[in-house]
Amino acid sequence: MQGTVQATIDSGSTAWMLTSSALVLLMVPGLALFYGGMVRKKNVLATMMHSFIAMAVIGVQWVLWGYCLSFGSSHGGVIGFDASLLGLSGVPHTRLFGDKGIPELVFVMFQGKFAIITPALISGAIAERMKLRSYLVFIVLWSTLVYCPLAHWVWASDGWLFKLGVLDFAGGTVVHIAAGFSALVLAILLGPRRDHRPGGGHAIVPNNLAFTLTGAGLLWFGWFGFNAGSAVAVEAPVSGAVAGLAFTTTQAAAAAAALTWMLVERLHQGKATSVGFASGIVAGLVAITPAAGHVLPVNALALGVVAALVCYVAVQQKNKTKLDDSLDAFAVHGVGGVVGAVLVGVLCFTPVAGVLQGSFAQLGKQLVGVGVSIGYCALMTLALGLLVKKLFGLRVTEQTERDGLDIAVHGERGYHLES
Amino acid sequence: MQGTVQATIDSGSTAWMLTSSALVLLMVPGLALFYGGMVRKKNVLATMMHSFIAMAVIGVQWVLWGYCLSFGSSHGGVIGFDASLLGLSGVPHTRLFGDKGIPELVFVMFQGKFAIITPALISGAIAERMKLRSYLVFIVLWSTLVYCPLAHWVWASDGWLFKLGVLDFAGGTVVHIAAGFSALVLAILLGPRRDHRPGGGHAIVPNNLAFTLTGAGLLWFGWFGFNAGSAVAVEAPVSGAVAGLAFTTTQAAAAAAALTWMLVERLHQGKATSVGFASGIVAGLVAITPAAGHVLPVNALALGVVAALVCYVAVQQKNKTKLDDSLDAFAVHGVGGVVGAVLVGVLCFTPVAGVLQGSFAQLGKQLVGVGVSIGYCALMTLALGLLVKKLFGLRVTEQTERDGLDIAVHGERGYHLES
Amino acid sequence: MQGTVQATIDSGSTAWMLTSSALVLLMVPGLALFYGGMVRKKNVLATMMHSFIAMAVIGVQWVLWGYCLSFGSSHGGVIGFDASLLGLSGVPHTRLFGDKGIPELVFVMFQGKFAIITPALISGAIAERMKLRSYLVFIVLWSTLVYCPLAHWVWASDGWLFKLGVLDFAGGTVVHIAAGFSALVLAILLGPRRDHRPGGGHAIVPNNLAFTLTGAGLLWFGWFGFNAGSAVAVEAPVSGAVAGLAFTTTQAAAAAAALTWMLVERLHQGKATSVGFASGIVAGLVAITPAAGHVLPVNALALGVVAALVCYVAVQQKNKTKLDDSLDAFAVHGVGGVVGAVLVGVLCFTPVAGVLQGSFAQLGKQLVGVGVSIGYCALMTLALGLLVKKLFGLRVTEQTERDGLDIAVHGERGYHLES
Amino acid sequence: MKLIIAVIRPERLEAVQEELQKVLDEDDNYRITVDAVEGHGAQHGEVELFRGQAVRPRMIPKTRIMVGVNDKYVEPTVQAILRAARTESGGAVGDGKIFVTPLDECIRIRTGERGGGAI
Amino acid sequence: MKLIIAVIRPERLEAVQEELQKVLDEDDNYRITVDAVEGHGAQHGEVELFRGQAVRPRMIPKTRIMVGVNDKYVEPTVQAILRAARTESGGAVGDGKIFVTPLDECIRIRTGERGGGAI
Amino acid sequence: MKLIIAVIRPERLEAVQEELQKVLDEDDNYRITVDAVEGHGAQHGEVELFRGQAVRPRMIPKTRIMVGVNDKYVEPTVQAILRAARTESGGAVGDGKIFVTPLDECIRIRTGERGGGAI
Ligand SMILES: Nc1ncnc2c1ncn2[C@@H]1O[C@H](COP(=O)(O)OP(=O)(O)O)[C@@H](O)[C@H]1O
Ligand SMILES: Nc1ncnc2c1ncn2[C@@H]1O[C@H](COP(=O)(O)OP(=O)(O)O)[C@@H](O)[C@H]1O
Ligand SMILES: Nc1ncnc2c1ncn2[C@@H]1O[C@H](COP(=O)(O)OP(=O)(O)O)[C@@H](O)[C@H]1O
């Protein structure tokens, strides 16, 4: 994209990008386990399927037109398009991506996994009550009309936010703010589950927290591809210094956030829960995402601590309301994404200086990026949500919700452990 | 193998091949979860152990003589052998593999994982009723007398099918057709489970479909190593353009097939099951395997759609018979492998042109490859199956089948969730 | 560290080290599943959390001071220290590690994962009864005062055991002997679980052996990073011949050991259990760890066989005593680590010759390394264990132990599968 | 004293508990024991699909409640269960059944108390 | 009316259901409630191995069936269970037991019907 | 003959079995059937935390035992349960309850034997 074009393939960079793409794909089953463990037994499959379905449908959409819209030639910095990119027909497998020494197809794949996981993240807010058909249509529309433009604005070299200088290393705005705030709007449109009670209650208990912990572990693992692979945007070889930095800050932030959440919860509630610990992991990973290649490891620790504190408070506050963000997609991804995207402006040292080094300019840009993402995603989700509601309705019937979506929608039960 | 020999190691290619080998190994636990979730609770461990045992026994066999028979100097294109390869004693760790810039040992390992997973795939057809001892002996014999020769024919540079020009990028014939048709024969020899009823029934329900979905996710993830790692046969650096292409087509076919299966099942049966979705994933991955580095991404989508349709019909047809291919090893791997191996001849554009580009020659070669694989595997499995039956019997006692293999054979129960 | 410094980054080596670091991290959730499946239902989360907590707390400690103590400038070969390494503040992300062509931060991360998993391994001996607070404090102290010095002695180029010539490719002494013997001491200090009976009993049954098998699979997968990544100490490019050798021997030893355990158990007890098989996998992996880059593949098979036999006997012997090494951390990691560390001296062929090739010198050095590790770890663990006992007590209350740690300590239950 | 055993729809348990609370005790301490069972009757279970085939479960998940009551509470308890366990709009196949069996003795383990006071 | 409670081997449930169907109703709508229990008696459970040691389970998995029947169906029901639940070749330790207890009242929740007709 | 049904704390099962063994049979073959249930009574369950909120379980896990005994064994059995199931230091809320119900008939499936000898 930028700079001189390297004529030959760099096998090391390509190796790392292939690996990273695979790692990001693995985050989807990881998310399925993370979310699937937290719902009631009768909805475990339906919840896992939300993530898996995104692999299939966005997997196809990305090849057909998603990549084209996100990374095709820019039309005014607003949207990409190249007829030759539809179906990737105009991307010979031997064509390299910019000066990074990797095949463009590998870049396509890496970006495609991001496009897959983002709508899957949203599904945490709508668990246990959304219609399958509506979910499917919604995520295709959302990916096309929300994700692709936003990715273009922030990551394409001609995107208007990119040109403005907004930093988003691996998806604080494009992925987490987008997913988190869209989740919020969709949860409001859907309304709470019939057993949801502000302040807790008896009825909603997680079916399998061992799955949730395992899912969090897979997410942590896959996130190294997510963040360290995103060095593809800034450096050749891709598996170089920035990738190493991003890997390190990712690890530091996740560890610090998990530890913080555990300690805070222990102090505040008297017990350190595994769900809290897992939420801490995710909050740290989310918050470091926009910052991974821009901050020092020790500042990543601080970022992790702050993210855990803020998200913890967000979860607590949300619990007092009627809002049923069932698995905290908003409180962790939305809020954590904002924390990260803003703090980049404070903590960054490369390629530009942040507040810590006396420069306030970047912070301003970050606020613009955050504001634009929130506004665009919230409005568009509202519009798309209402459209889908009009077309198919958003919620399953009360009977289906009571019986569980597994049996009613998928004709299956998650477990048969009786005999 | 072909061409000039590169004198030095290529660290990027080696990195990718190490990663790919590890990824393919992970497919085995993935398969264990995929299969293990679909059997009854009383057989979950026995079923998972089928896969795990292959890791151990073929892991040893491959080092001792498997690699030697598959990739040793060719004897008439029919079988390989080099005394120096027995126990890998004659492979100094510094020796490179052909012109690919990777240590030969890394190639040995990569291929060894394929040898492991192939018999493990077969185990899907014989679940819940085969004797452990017979399984163990069978897979050692099968791997030695079926897998190794076939791998030699198709993949060794002097193998007769290779010289004929049969294309099999990553194992459509050697792995999937071989496993699928051997599974068919073995399932017939074994006979159905006592509770098996054509057209369904009450008794056989899956114990944990969350495992099955997770397993499918791990398979998808690992398959990137399987297919994109197989670029080792055709290009240096290995982590280059062909690997990128194979990665892309793998993703596209899996996504398209899963989506297709879901939609077809919804239309045909009224519900979109998670098992169907997972079967779609696997069908797509199977069918793209022989084609991964030979077809365009958009054609991979088409291949995925066709594979899902054909395998869906195959499962439906099989369900009307008495054949108890318990976890659809034949209907997915056998049939999907044929779909892929044949369609390569239609869709391929590199290194040779297929029917789409007006050339029918390759299709003919593919049909030969498919026919030979089916014939050889079916006959040999029949012979070996009968031999093992004669020696030890194939089936557990009726009492063991009723009580479950976990407690009867392994002295364990999968879960203790009572208190 | 040693030798001439390579001025530029090697993207292939870096790709492999990033991958390896991620793989080693994944071993921690793998261990959580492996251990978590073997405890009673009421302790599944608490047991998994032991591993996860190590990711968080040692993750932070390693960045703050762990790396500094292990790999800072040596003070008399006994401990490392550089003020500039505290918080990694003095490690610019562009600085390379020695002559290996990888960023130093990547080396920091790779080593950090080892520091994380080692205390997590210990947790197998103290399952179902240790206080959370005491565990947390203990592992921080232990990592700082036991792990870091030992890593310095054995792996830092100025460490006294390193200079003595002790070989420990990937952590036979530093990781497995250290964890295993510390586990033994801690288990003695804690005393047995209230339901523990020498020779078996009714009460203690594993809640989910499918988890245990899956965990063993993830460990096997991750171990390729552990061992083949450890080529970083000896060769550039890192993803080269030694990495390939280490990968091969790892695979061979694990397969041989699992097969051996299965056969021995079948002969000795009449059944081949999945837990036994999984223990065999781990025993083989543990034993090959110190030897991975030093022995031939065929000798790795032999090493795996011996490790399985010795560890099998160790488990049997331990079962006759009152010692409650709940999940066999000592019998597998401690004993297996000794087997491996000693047999290196017998089987090694590179970079020095062992007994097999007629030289007894290395064996002597290995015995010193083993003896020193055992002595230091046992004594220090005794001291730290008594200290923590004095400060907070080691055991939960009897009521908590009876009710289960999940509900009492974490306020959660692992499963809600009732309705 | 009677031991009342009722088989109801799982999703009705919450409602039944609320009604029982009203009749059995002014505060929260009505006493009841519940377990998950499977039933077979006129109602047919949800068909499941497995590997492309319909699997018709022989049994349907039900919830069973067991309440020991003094004689004068028998009828109120039965009525409470009837009110809460019956599907809206007049009952549906599968709503379940109430069995009333004689109870000779009841002993509170905590105190050793016997008879009506121990219920 | 009687409430018949039988403890049987889990693998015999299918056969028992088939026999009950014959005696209780011409079509499929015989009524029964089943749960999984654990029993201790003369029979000893399958030994499990765990980490190299034999673990002897105190309890053996059993299936319990509960059937409410009118008096004239008591004997046929008992006979049906006996026929189907007994291990081939004359019964084996662990085949289980049938308990017949009095049933004072039976109410169909759907309709509120009482007595014999509601069974 | 009586059918004794007791609801106890799960952690007391082992002790109860030991006591029953003493009174019901000199060797190990006392007979009992056990299942896991959930109870609601004076005792309140352990609060769980889920996603930052307290989840107060309506029900508490309990263990239910069912023993069929001949009349002269009723009192010893009740006493054995009382001894073993009561929390040390004089009983605590949640210790549970014993119900004694009449048993009209008991049949051993293995042999078809009936009455007191079959218990
Ligand atoms: N006579 C009986 N004995 C045992 N259980 C019964 C009996 N009658 C009904 N049940 C239980 O009640 C449940 C509902 O009965 P069903 O026949 O489906 O409903 P209804 O009586 O309202 O038509 C059954 O699944 C079964 O568990
Ligand atoms: N008196 C009893 N009270 C409660 N349950 C009993 C009684 N007798 C038998 N059972 C149940 O029946 C099962 C089989 O009993 P067992 O003594 O093993 O068989 P058998 O009577 O044929 O010798 C036991 O496991 C237990 O669950
Ligand atoms: N009348 C009853 N009917 C049904 N179950 C009861 C009854 N009384 C007590 N139980 C069972 O016994 C358990 C303990 O009762 P609880 O009231 O907590 O203890 P206590 O009677 O010692 O105060 C309850 O959870 C419930 O399962």
Side-chain angles (χ1 to χ4, degrees), chain A residues 11 14 22 52 113 408 410 412 414-417, chain B residues 10 41 207 209 213 221 239 251 271-272 274:
Chain A
S11 66
T14 305
F52 274 84
K113 310 304 188 195
H410 300 285
E412 300 177 301
Y415 312 107
H416 282 284
L417 299 174
Chain B
D10 174 33
K41 192 181 80 166
N207 76 90
L209 293 181
L213 273 178
F221 173 64
S239 46
Q251 165 74 14
K271 314 242 165 167
S274 64

PDB file of all heavy atoms in Angstrom, chain A residues 11 14 22 52 113 408 410 412 414-417, chain B residues 10 41 207 209 213 221 239 251 271-272 274:
ATOM      1  N   SER A  11       9.004 -15.245   2.800  1.00  0.00           N
ATOM      2  CA  SER A  11       8.392 -16.475   3.297  1.00  0.00           C
ATOM      3  C   SER A  11       8.091 -16.389   4.783  1.00  0.00           C
ATOM      4  O   SER A  11       7.129 -16.975   5.263  1.00  0.00           O
ATOM      5  CB  SER A  11       9.279 -17.685   3.000  1.00  0.00           C
ATOM      6  OG  SER A  11      10.478 -17.589   3.724  1.00  0.00           O
ATOM      7  N   THR A  14       4.952 -14.277   5.265  1.00  0.00           N
ATOM      8  CA  THR A  14       3.798 -15.047   4.804  1.00  0.00           C
ATOM      9  C   THR A  14       3.454 -16.154   5.799  1.00  0.00           C
ATOM     10  O   THR A  14       2.280 -16.392   6.100  1.00  0.00           O
ATOM     11  CB  THR A  14       4.083 -15.635   3.416  1.00  0.00           C
ATOM     12  OG1 THR A  14       4.443 -14.555   2.550  1.00  0.00           O
ATOM     13  CG2 THR A  14       2.871 -16.340   2.854  1.00  0.00           C
ATOM     14  N   ALA A  22      -5.163 -18.183  10.615  1.00  0.00           N
ATOM     15  CA  ALA A  22      -5.729 -19.383  11.230  1.00  0.00           C
ATOM     16  C   ALA A  22      -6.063 -19.113  12.691  1.00  0.00           C
ATOM     17  O   ALA A  22      -7.116 -19.523  13.188  1.00  0.00           O
ATOM     18  CB  ALA A  22      -4.751 -20.550  11.098  1.00  0.00           C
ATOM     19  N   PHE A  52     -20.743 -19.813  14.919  1.00  0.00           N
ATOM     20  CA  PHE A  52     -20.382 -20.667  13.794  1.00  0.00           C
ATOM     21  C   PHE A  52     -21.022 -20.180  12.484  1.00  0.00           C
ATOM     22  O   PHE A  52     -20.394 -20.219  11.427  1.00  0.00           O
ATOM     23  CB  PHE A  52     -20.773 -22.123  14.076  1.00  0.00           C
ATOM     24  CG  PHE A  52     -19.719 -22.866  14.837  1.00  0.00           C
ATOM     25  CD1 PHE A  52     -19.643 -22.780  16.219  1.00  0.00           C
ATOM     26  CD2 PHE A  52     -18.768 -23.640  14.176  1.00  0.00           C
ATOM     27  CE1 PHE A  52     -18.651 -23.447  16.928  1.00  0.00           C
ATOM     28  CE2 PHE A  52     -17.775 -24.314  14.872  1.00  0.00           C
ATOM     29  CZ  PHE A  52     -17.716 -24.223  16.258  1.00  0.00           C
ATOM     30  N   LYS A 113     -11.182 -12.863   8.443  1.00  0.00           N
ATOM     31  CA  LYS A 113     -11.464 -13.422   9.766  1.00  0.00           C
ATOM     32  C   LYS A 113     -11.951 -12.335  10.713  1.00  0.00           C
ATOM     33  O   LYS A 113     -12.759 -12.598  11.606  1.00  0.00           O
ATOM     34  CB  LYS A 113     -10.209 -14.060  10.362  1.00  0.00           C
ATOM     35  CG  LYS A 113      -9.470 -15.029   9.474  1.00  0.00           C
ATOM     36  CD  LYS A 113     -10.315 -16.160   8.985  1.00  0.00           C
ATOM     37  CE  LYS A 113      -9.430 -17.179   8.278  1.00  0.00           C
ATOM     38  NZ  LYS A 113     -10.175 -18.116   7.486  1.00  0.00           N
ATOM     39  N   ALA A 408     -36.295 -26.035  19.756  1.00  0.00           N
ATOM     40  CA  ALA A 408     -37.334 -25.423  18.922  1.00  0.00           C
ATOM     41  C   ALA A 408     -36.791 -24.995  17.563  1.00  0.00           C
ATOM     42  O   ALA A 408     -37.452 -25.141  16.545  1.00  0.00           O
ATOM     43  CB  ALA A 408     -37.946 -24.226  19.654  1.00  0.00           C
ATOM     44  N   HIS A 410     -33.349 -25.635  16.366  1.00  0.00           N
ATOM     45  CA  HIS A 410     -32.380 -26.530  15.732  1.00  0.00           C
ATOM     46  C   HIS A 410     -32.790 -28.001  15.800  1.00  0.00           C
ATOM     47  O   HIS A 410     -32.137 -28.849  15.191  1.00  0.00           O
ATOM     48  CB  HIS A 410     -31.003 -26.335  16.370  1.00  0.00           C
ATOM     49  CG  HIS A 410     -30.504 -24.937  16.217  1.00  0.00           C
ATOM     50  ND1 HIS A 410     -30.021 -24.448  15.027  1.00  0.00           N
ATOM     51  CD2 HIS A 410     -30.459 -23.891  17.074  1.00  0.00           C
ATOM     52  CE1 HIS A 410     -29.692 -23.174  15.172  1.00  0.00           C
ATOM     53  NE2 HIS A 410     -29.953 -22.805  16.400  1.00  0.00           N
ATOM     54  N   GLU A 412     -32.573 -30.009  18.276  1.00  0.00           N
ATOM     55  CA  GLU A 412     -31.539 -30.787  18.970  1.00  0.00           C
ATOM     56  C   GLU A 412     -31.504 -30.394  20.437  1.00  0.00           C
ATOM     57  O   GLU A 412     -32.015 -29.351  20.827  1.00  0.00           O
ATOM     58  CB  GLU A 412     -30.162 -30.475  18.360  1.00  0.00           C
ATOM     59  CG  GLU A 412     -30.053 -30.791  16.892  1.00  0.00           C
ATOM     60  CD  GLU A 412     -28.699 -30.394  16.326  1.00  0.00           C
ATOM     61  OE1 GLU A 412     -28.360 -29.194  16.406  1.00  0.00           O
ATOM     62  OE2 GLU A 412     -27.995 -31.261  15.824  1.00  0.00           O
ATOM     63  N   GLY A 414     -28.469 -29.985  23.478  1.00  0.00           N
ATOM     64  CA  GLY A 414     -27.012 -29.931  23.605  1.00  0.00           C
ATOM     65  C   GLY A 414     -26.423 -31.189  24.214  1.00  0.00           C
ATOM     66  O   GLY A 414     -25.425 -31.712  23.732  1.00  0.00           O
ATOM     67  N   TYR A 415     -27.063 -31.666  25.260  1.00  0.00           N
ATOM     68  CA  TYR A 415     -26.531 -32.812  25.981  1.00  0.00           C
ATOM     69  C   TYR A 415     -27.606 -33.878  26.117  1.00  0.00           C
ATOM     70  O   TYR A 415     -28.769 -33.562  26.335  1.00  0.00           O
ATOM     71  CB  TYR A 415     -26.095 -32.422  27.395  1.00  0.00           C
ATOM     72  CG  TYR A 415     -25.249 -31.178  27.473  1.00  0.00           C
ATOM     73  CD1 TYR A 415     -25.767 -29.990  27.976  1.00  0.00           C
ATOM     74  CD2 TYR A 415     -23.919 -31.189  27.080  1.00  0.00           C
ATOM     75  CE1 TYR A 415     -24.989 -28.853  28.081  1.00  0.00           C
ATOM     76  CE2 TYR A 415     -23.131 -30.053  27.174  1.00  0.00           C
ATOM     77  CZ  TYR A 415     -23.677 -28.884  27.675  1.00  0.00           C
ATOM     78  OH  TYR A 415     -22.910 -27.757  27.775  1.00  0.00           O
ATOM     79  N   HIS A 416     -27.185 -35.114  26.046  1.00  0.00           N
ATOM     80  CA  HIS A 416     -28.023 -36.227  26.469  1.00  0.00           C
ATOM     81  C   HIS A 416     -27.190 -37.009  27.464  1.00  0.00           C
ATOM     82  O   HIS A 416     -26.457 -37.919  27.101  1.00  0.00           O
ATOM     83  CB  HIS A 416     -28.406 -37.141  25.295  1.00  0.00           C
ATOM     84  CG  HIS A 416     -29.496 -36.592  24.431  1.00  0.00           C
ATOM     85  ND1 HIS A 416     -30.811 -36.594  24.803  1.00  0.00           N
ATOM     86  CD2 HIS A 416     -29.477 -36.004  23.215  1.00  0.00           C
ATOM     87  CE1 HIS A 416     -31.567 -36.056  23.855  1.00  0.00           C
ATOM     88  NE2 HIS A 416     -30.780 -35.675  22.876  1.00  0.00           N
ATOM     89  N   LEU A 417     -27.289 -36.592  28.714  1.00  0.00           N
ATOM     90  CA  LEU A 417     -26.415 -37.190  29.716  1.00  0.00           C
ATOM     91  C   LEU A 417     -27.168 -38.106  30.673  1.00  0.00           C
ATOM     92  O   LEU A 417     -26.594 -38.628  31.623  1.00  0.00           O
ATOM     93  CB  LEU A 417     -25.728 -36.083  30.515  1.00  0.00           C
ATOM     94  CG  LEU A 417     -24.861 -35.155  29.671  1.00  0.00           C
ATOM     95  CD1 LEU A 417     -24.340 -34.009  30.501  1.00  0.00           C
ATOM     96  CD2 LEU A 417     -23.694 -35.914  29.064  1.00  0.00           C
TER      97      LEU A 417
ATOM     98  N   ASP B  10      15.323 -22.371   4.380  1.00  0.00           N
ATOM     99  CA  ASP B  10      14.519 -21.158   4.318  1.00  0.00           C
ATOM    100  C   ASP B  10      13.709 -21.095   5.607  1.00  0.00           C
ATOM    101  O   ASP B  10      12.809 -21.908   5.829  1.00  0.00           O
ATOM    102  CB  ASP B  10      13.589 -21.196   3.099  1.00  0.00           C
ATOM    103  CG  ASP B  10      12.636 -20.003   3.105  1.00  0.00           C
ATOM    104  OD1 ASP B  10      13.036 -18.927   3.576  1.00  0.00           O
ATOM    105  OD2 ASP B  10      11.484 -20.170   2.664  1.00  0.00           O
ATOM    106  N   LYS B  41     -23.490 -41.429  25.643  1.00  0.00           N
ATOM    107  CA  LYS B  41     -22.651 -41.114  26.792  1.00  0.00           C
ATOM    108  C   LYS B  41     -21.754 -42.279  27.186  1.00  0.00           C
ATOM    109  O   LYS B  41     -20.595 -42.090  27.552  1.00  0.00           O
ATOM    110  CB  LYS B  41     -23.558 -40.766  27.982  1.00  0.00           C
ATOM    111  CG  LYS B  41     -22.836 -40.154  29.141  1.00  0.00           C
ATOM    112  CD  LYS B  41     -23.793 -39.866  30.287  1.00  0.00           C
ATOM    113  CE  LYS B  41     -24.099 -41.115  31.087  1.00  0.00           C
ATOM    114  NZ  LYS B  41     -24.749 -40.805  32.379  1.00  0.00           N
ATOM    115  N   ASN B 207     -24.313 -37.517  22.916  1.00  0.00           N
ATOM    116  CA  ASN B 207     -24.203 -37.112  24.315  1.00  0.00           C
ATOM    117  C   ASN B 207     -23.854 -35.649  24.482  1.00  0.00           C
ATOM    118  O   ASN B 207     -24.199 -35.031  25.464  1.00  0.00           O
ATOM    119  CB  ASN B 207     -23.207 -38.006  25.066  1.00  0.00           C
ATOM    120  CG  ASN B 207     -21.762 -37.676  24.755  1.00  0.00           C
ATOM    121  OD1 ASN B 207     -21.154 -36.848  25.436  1.00  0.00           O
ATOM    122  ND2 ASN B 207     -21.174 -38.286  23.724  1.00  0.00           N
ATOM    123  N   LEU B 209     -23.365 -32.319  21.910  1.00  0.00           N
ATOM    124  CA  LEU B 209     -23.152 -31.682  20.610  1.00  0.00           C
ATOM    125  C   LEU B 209     -22.296 -30.416  20.708  1.00  0.00           C
ATOM    126  O   LEU B 209     -21.758 -29.961  19.693  1.00  0.00           O
ATOM    127  CB  LEU B 209     -24.496 -31.395  19.946  1.00  0.00           C
ATOM    128  CG  LEU B 209     -25.243 -32.672  19.558  1.00  0.00           C
ATOM    129  CD1 LEU B 209     -26.561 -32.329  18.882  1.00  0.00           C
ATOM    130  CD2 LEU B 209     -24.389 -33.545  18.641  1.00  0.00           C
ATOM    131  N   LEU B 213     -19.528 -29.494  17.829  1.00  0.00           N
ATOM    132  CA  LEU B 213     -19.276 -28.191  17.201  1.00  0.00           C
ATOM    133  C   LEU B 213     -17.843 -27.725  17.458  1.00  0.00           C
ATOM    134  O   LEU B 213     -17.165 -27.233  16.550  1.00  0.00           O
ATOM    135  CB  LEU B 213     -20.250 -27.142  17.753  1.00  0.00           C
ATOM    136  CG  LEU B 213     -21.595 -27.018  17.053  1.00  0.00           C
ATOM    137  CD1 LEU B 213     -22.456 -25.978  17.747  1.00  0.00           C
ATOM    138  CD2 LEU B 213     -21.411 -26.624  15.577  1.00  0.00           C
ATOM    139  N   PHE B 221      -9.800 -25.141  11.761  1.00  0.00           N
ATOM    140  CA  PHE B 221      -8.539 -24.483  12.099  1.00  0.00           C
ATOM    141  C   PHE B 221      -7.337 -25.319  11.629  1.00  0.00           C
ATOM    142  O   PHE B 221      -6.454 -24.846  10.915  1.00  0.00           O
ATOM    143  CB  PHE B 221      -8.507 -24.285  13.618  1.00  0.00           C
ATOM    144  CG  PHE B 221      -7.220 -23.762  14.195  1.00  0.00           C
ATOM    145  CD1 PHE B 221      -6.740 -22.499  13.869  1.00  0.00           C
ATOM    146  CD2 PHE B 221      -6.498 -24.522  15.115  1.00  0.00           C
ATOM    147  CE1 PHE B 221      -5.566 -22.008  14.449  1.00  0.00           C
ATOM    148  CE2 PHE B 221      -5.332 -24.040  15.697  1.00  0.00           C
ATOM    149  CZ  PHE B 221      -4.861 -22.783  15.349  1.00  0.00           C
ATOM    150  N   SER B 239       5.730 -21.196   2.110  1.00  0.00           N
ATOM    151  CA  SER B 239       4.752 -20.197   2.546  1.00  0.00           C
ATOM    152  C   SER B 239       4.720 -19.088   1.507  1.00  0.00           C
ATOM    153  O   SER B 239       5.221 -17.992   1.715  1.00  0.00           O
ATOM    154  CB  SER B 239       5.109 -19.656   3.920  1.00  0.00           C
ATOM    155  OG  SER B 239       6.480 -19.341   3.993  1.00  0.00           O
ATOM    156  N   GLN B 251     -10.866 -21.979   3.094  1.00  0.00           N
ATOM    157  CA  GLN B 251     -11.832 -21.153   3.828  1.00  0.00           C
ATOM    158  C   GLN B 251     -13.136 -21.006   3.029  1.00  0.00           C
ATOM    159  O   GLN B 251     -14.233 -21.160   3.574  1.00  0.00           O
ATOM    160  CB  GLN B 251     -11.193 -19.779   4.084  1.00  0.00           C
ATOM    161  CG  GLN B 251     -12.116 -18.679   4.507  1.00  0.00           C
ATOM    162  CD  GLN B 251     -12.573 -18.828   5.945  1.00  0.00           C
ATOM    163  OE1 GLN B 251     -12.004 -19.612   6.711  1.00  0.00           O
ATOM    164  NE2 GLN B 251     -13.621 -18.106   6.306  1.00  0.00           N
ATOM    165  N   LYS B 271     -35.648 -27.758  10.076  1.00  0.00           N
ATOM    166  CA  LYS B 271     -34.752 -27.246  11.114  1.00  0.00           C
ATOM    167  C   LYS B 271     -33.319 -27.266  10.593  1.00  0.00           C
ATOM    168  O   LYS B 271     -32.955 -28.118   9.792  1.00  0.00           O
ATOM    169  CB  LYS B 271     -34.806 -28.117  12.374  1.00  0.00           C
ATOM    170  CG  LYS B 271     -36.193 -28.474  12.824  1.00  0.00           C
ATOM    171  CD  LYS B 271     -36.529 -27.938  14.188  1.00  0.00           C
ATOM    172  CE  LYS B 271     -38.027 -28.023  14.398  1.00  0.00           C
ATOM    173  NZ  LYS B 271     -38.457 -27.820  15.763  1.00  0.00           N
ATOM    174  N   ALA B 272     -32.538 -26.325  11.077  1.00  0.00           N
ATOM    175  CA  ALA B 272     -31.120 -26.302  10.727  1.00  0.00           C
ATOM    176  C   ALA B 272     -30.336 -26.811  11.930  1.00  0.00           C
ATOM    177  O   ALA B 272     -30.220 -26.110  12.924  1.00  0.00           O
ATOM    178  CB  ALA B 272     -30.690 -24.880  10.397  1.00  0.00           C
ATOM    179  N   SER B 274     -27.194 -28.288  14.303  1.00  0.00           N
ATOM    180  CA  SER B 274     -25.773 -28.016  14.465  1.00  0.00           C
ATOM    181  C   SER B 274     -24.939 -29.172  13.911  1.00  0.00           C
ATOM    182  O   SER B 274     -23.854 -28.963  13.383  1.00  0.00           O
ATOM    183  CB  SER B 274     -25.443 -27.768  15.932  1.00  0.00           C
ATOM    184  OG  SER B 274     -25.674 -28.923  16.688  1.00  0.00           O
TER     185      SER B 274
END
